[in-house]
Amino acid sequence: MKKKVLIKWIIGCVMLCIMLLVLWKRTHINYDEYSEKTSDMQHDEVEEIRFPDYINEKVSDGLVFDAEVVIGENFDPDNFYVSTARIMKPDKEKWKQFFGVDNTWDYNVYETESRIGDKIEFQTYTDKQENTLYLTSEEALWAKQDMVFIYNVLDTNEYSPQNNGKLFSEKMDLSFESRQDNLRSVLDKMQQIGIDAAELEVHQEYDLNVDKLKEQEEKKIEAGDIEQSEKKESWSTSDEAYYYYLDETTQGLPVFSKRSVNDYSGDERSQIIVCAGNDGIRYLYMKWFFLFDIGDDKVKFAPIDNIKECIKRKYGKTLDENCITVKKMVLGVYPFATDKEKNAVVPVWICFLERKTKGSEYVEKLYVPINAITGEEFYDMEG
């Protein structure tokens, strides 16, 4: 049963990726035009520009800005340079060696799709204890067999009524090691398999305390979310672990590597997801991690008023019975694929909006990407 659940979970992840890739339809900005725009960014002197921490403005009864403006602490808008990027290929031999994969493991090959939709193969290795390593040319996943119990309990999906992420977000030190020491150890180990941890930032972390794990498992069984047969035989402090979502950054900004803006709602946007306990790394997932080539020419960012105007043009005539509130604006970069290997690095604002109809408790979440250079809506992220 445990093996079937774990395999189903891994295959399910792969199939979800394939479905998202198939559904994605590129609206195609002309890259030659984009190149011309980036050349316009290059100045001997770039005007100093600053962004506010918060925007509070009522545009109309149908549109309100009540928005936190999120910018990386190490970001300097006056010293941000034009760059390109390529996906880092996992070093398969390093991954196999680090996690002890040898010729006694079961080996299978399947087919999936790359970030740009090309057919690529993915390889799976499974040992007798049902630990699994999954590899493609663009991503890698390691999962120990007992992670299935964590999958059953931890739910961080913001749309899920069973979301219990806040219960595990107290930033407490667990019995076996402090958070700080554990994270440092995790980053060191990732360096050993070729992941440069220097540009990683913690997007979210969860402290998986044994008492809460046991309590949440019981609640999920009572609710019928998991079967009694899937219950862990017993819990102990040795099951405790830290669970991290790590974002890649470049020049102080987070990298939005997913293809659609609708994938940025929660933790799953992160390129690195890792779970570590007293026995080391129990789970590690790397997807679309980029290597950047930073040029010499500076980027000129559009003023924040231009970004606001883009939203006003789109939603400014919204009727008041469908009030839209801009809740958050996050500045990052999007690697826009120009060919199989190369990506133009496009600075982009991802704006988080909420639409609510009068008389209804339902709140619809909307995500609008805006090119941070041109101030225009970035349709290529809306597939």
Side-chain angles (χ1 to χ4, degrees), residues 4-129:
K4 288 181 179 179
V5 171
L6 183 60
I7 292 174
K8 284 181 180 179
W9 183 87
I10 293 172
I11 297 300
C13 287
V14 175
M15 293 304 297
L16 178 59
C17 292
I18 293 173
M19 289 172 63
L20 291 173
L21 290 166
V22 171
L23 290 172
W24 180 65
K25 295 180 179 179
R26 184 173 287 181
T27 51
H28 298 299
I29 64 169
N30 185 305
Y31 183 64
D32 291 334
E33 293 179 3
Y34 176 77
S35 298
E36 290 175 6
K37 289 177 181 177
T38 55
S39 66
D40 291 340
M41 298 185 249
Q42 303 166 9
H43 302 273
D44 292 331
E45 294 183 6
V46 176
E47 294 180 11
E48 183 175 303
I49 191 164
R50 292 292 176 264
F51 301 112
D53 296 325
Y54 208 90
I55 299 175
N56 193 320
E57 177 185 345
K58 182 177 180 180
V59 178
S60 67
D61 288 338
L63 177 62
V64 174
F65 283 84
D66 185 17
E68 177 188 9
V69 180
V70 181
I71 299 172
E73 292 182 3
N74 298 319
F75 168 66
D76 180 358
D78 302 319
N79 290 285
F80 190 91
Y81 296 86
V82 176
S83 61
T84 58
R86 57 187 173 86
I87 294 177
M88 187 189 82
K89 297 180 180 180
D91 188 321
K92 295 181 180 181
E93 293 307 313
K94 283 186 177 180
W95 279 74
K96 289 163 63 176
Q97 181 179 3
F98 185 86
F99 292 112
V101 175
D102 57 32
N103 57 13
T104 65
W105 291 49
D106 290 338
Y107 171 71
N108 288 285
V109 180
Y110 304 93
E111 190 176 76
T112 185
E113 291 189 12
S114 69
R115 186 172 183 262
I116 63 172
D118 288 343
K119 299 293 183 183
I120 58 174
E121 71 173 29
F122 73 89
Q123 306 166 346
T124 63
Y125 301 85
T126 307
D127 70 359
K128 293 179 180 179
Q129 286 73 44

Side-chain angles (χ1 to χ4, degrees), residues 72 201 247-250 252-256 269 330-334:
E201 290 184 351
D247 286 351
E248 183 181 13
T249 66
T250 180
L253 292 180
V255 180
F256 300 142
R269 79 176 199 193
V330 181
L331 182 60
V333 300
Y334 177 76

